Amino acid sequence: MKLHPTSLTRRGLLLTGAALSAAALASCSSATTQETVAPAQTGPIADRTETSGDTARAHGGPYGAGVYNTRQVADELAWIDENVHPFDGSSKRILITGSTAGAGQLTAAYLLKRRHTVVVHARNEQRAADVRQDLPGIDDVVTGDLLDLDQTRALAQQINSIGAFDVIIHNAGEYGLQDVELLNSNSLSPYLLTALVTPPRQLIYLTSDLHLSGDLKLDEVRSGSGISYGDSKLHMAMIATAAARFWPDRQINAVAPGWIPTRMGFHNGNTSTPDSLRDGYMTQVWLAEGTEPGSDVTGEFLFHQRVEARVNKLVHDTQAQDSLFAAYAEQTGVSFPAANLPPDHKAARREPTA
Ligand SMILES: NC(=O)c1ccc[n+]([C@@H]2O[C@H](COP(=O)([O-])OP(=O)(O)OC[C@H]3O[C@@H](n4cnc5c(N)ncnc54)[C@H](OP(=O)(O)O)[C@@H]3O)[C@@H](O)[C@H]2O)c1
């Protein structure tokens, strides 16, 4: 494949590998502090309840700059619009959850410019209208607030009703909410969507360095009570590795984008972020297109187009995966379709590596 303005190769990684590793470490330790330190008084983004593209545009900000997106994300969306060329391989049908802002919207915009068929997901009708204005080429919008598990179940039905996908990217994520809301949006909802939506050929789950501080929290999952953001991102990675084990004929990975300048990255009043915004969504593009060496990997935790070595040992612990899925089934009443595996499949499980 010929090089495009934003190359899918590891060029950027090779040039800046050491710096990125240091940044990832800094991201992890600093961001862990975000969870425990009181929020700063100011931040660059208005409250989510005010989000509306009309509001943003009325204030002179295309792509919701200063409202639901940061200036950096808005500038990157404009850059994609001007610079990205069509893909010369076969077009894919791709769904991205949480694609009205941030990394999800950037992934959607990039794949759209590459002439893939892209369906986006919005939390409500207002945000659906915003993204239709921002990305006029999208094929469709599905709606549902992942904080509400009934809406998540209805969303699964909507998705199934509009036909099969080649790739689904579970990108949506909340930060800084009360505990049970995080359980619903970041853990139970991606599980429900995985279990209830017709499985595509490829699944990608957005996780975070902060999964390193996460724990299983099985009692909390069973009882529907609080978990932290780190717990939820551990769960997201484990849904990916468990699903990859249950569905060996599909390609399924977890991806950490790095600490990037989206609205979430600027949470708690942060005014700078250490990692590249473009690298934060290009792994998803690289996997979805799947034409470059290494992009056929499965069952892994990836950071910037590479298998990440610093991974919570629970991510690849098959007993822990089974316990989490059993807790999910108890809480939601929905069993993962492949949970009743034959014994010979269980014998092929991967053992914990660290
Ligand atoms: N930014 C970082 O530094 C960072 C670091 C590590 C991991 N991540 C992960 O990367 C992913 C993308 O984050 P981001 O930085 O792009 O954040 P973002 O700019 O805040 O965008 C999050 C997207 O998810 C949607 N969303 C959130 N909660 C939802 C809900 N309950 N129902 C429906 N949609 C919902 C948002 O919709 P609205 O626009 O309506 O809010 C938005 O489209 C997340 O999974 C996040 O945990 C981010």
Side-chain angles (χ1 to χ4, degrees):
M1 186 178 79
K2 69 174 184 272
L3 281 182
H4 289 276
T6 296
S7 168
L8 298 182
T9 67
R10 298 180 183 173
R11 177 188 46 158
L13 185 71
L14 292 172
L15 289 174
T16 59
L20 283 173
S21 300
L25 282 171
S27 160
C28 181
S29 55
S30 307
T32 301
T33 308
Q34 287 176 37
E35 290 191 308
T36 53
V37 171
Q41 295 303 306
T42 58
I45 300 296
D47 187 85
R48 188 181 65 237
T49 55
E50 297 169 22
T51 59
S52 153
D54 292 338
T55 311
R57 278 174 275 275
H59 288 81
Y63 300 119
V67 182
Y68 51 81
N69 270 324
T70 59
R71 167 59 59 195
Q72 289 90 332
V73 171
D75 287 350
E76 184 73 3
L77 286 164
W79 180 89
I80 288 170
D81 195 39
E82 286 168 19
N83 294 287
V84 176
H85 303 303
F87 181 49
D88 49 19
S90 58
S91 168
K92 304 263 179 78
R93 188 157 191 268
I94 301 164
L95 169 71
I96 305 163
T97 70
S99 36
T100 51
Q105 189 177 9
L106 289 165
T107 310
Y110 198 104
L111 290 166
L112 202 54
K113 285 289 287 184
R114 300 279 274 165
R115 299 226 181 115
H116 297 286
T117 301
V118 178
V119 174
V120 302
H121 159 238
R123 74 167 70 227
N124 57 34
E125 291 304 328
Q126 176 58 62
R127 300 296 289 123
D130 292 340
V131 75
R132 281 187 196 281
Q133 274 194 273
D134 283 350
L135 305 178
I138 51 179
D139 190 57
D140 209 343
V141 185
V142 289
T143 56
D145 190 334
L146 305 183
L147 292 169
D148 177 338
L149 298 185
D150 289 338
Q151 290 196 36
T152 301
R153 290 168 202 265
L155 175 64
Q157 285 185 340
Q158 272 182 69
I159 295 168
N160 285 335
S161 73
I162 60 174
F165 287 89
D166 297 304
V167 183
I168 296 181
I169 304 176
H170 290 278
N171 165 85
E174 298 272 17
Y175 186 90
L177 293 182
Q178 292 302 307
D179 293 343
V180 71
E181 295 183 304
L182 276 180
L183 177 71
N184 285 353
S185 63
N186 292 12
S187 182
L188 294 175
S189 281
Y191 168 77
L192 279 173
L193 292 176
T194 303
L196 297 176
V197 170
T198 306
R201 285 209 294 268
Q202 184 179 169
L203 284 153
I204 301 168
Y205 294 82
L206 268 287
T207 179
S208 161
D209 288 355
L210 291 181
H211 87 286
L212 286 166
S213 66
D215 210 342
L216 268 183
K217 299 287 175 67
L218 296 177
D219 289 342
E220 287 80 353
V221 173
R222 284 192 207 99
S223 63
S225 51
I227 63 169
S228 71
Y229 178 81
D231 299 330
S232 78
K233 289 288 131 176
L234 171 64
H235 292 177
M236 198 79 163
M238 291 178 69
I239 294 171
T241 49
R245 177 166 59 95
F246 294 146
W247 286 328
D249 56 336
R250 296 169 202 279
Q251 185 186 3
I252 306 176
N253 292 289
V255 172
W259 186 2
I260 53 175
T262 62
R263 187 184 53 194
M264 185 185 290
F266 284 153
H267 201 88
N268 290 353
N270 297 311
T271 52
S272 66
T273 54
D275 292 326
S276 152
L277 180 59
R278 197 164 298 164
D279 287 345
Y281 67 88
M282 286 308 289
T283 303
Q284 296 84 301
V285 171
W286 175 77
L287 284 169
E289 294 198 332
T291 53
E292 297 235 329
S295 62
D296 58 350
V297 63
T298 189
E300 296 292 357
F301 186 117
L302 302 172
F303 176 67
H304 295 181
Q305 300 176 29
R306 280 194 172 171
V307 175
E308 174 60 88
R310 281 178 67 248
V311 173
N312 189 318
K313 66 182 180 185
L314 292 170
V315 169
H316 294 296
D317 180 333
T318 57
Q319 284 187 336
Q321 292 165 9
D322 287 348
S323 300
L324 180 63
F325 273 44
Y328 280 146
E330 197 174 322
Q331 170 54 222
T332 63
V334 173
S335 293
F336 190 75
N340 298 318
L341 293 171
D344 58 334
H345 189 99
K346 290 191 177 181
R349 287 173 179 174
R350 176 174 170 168
E351 294 305 318
T353 52

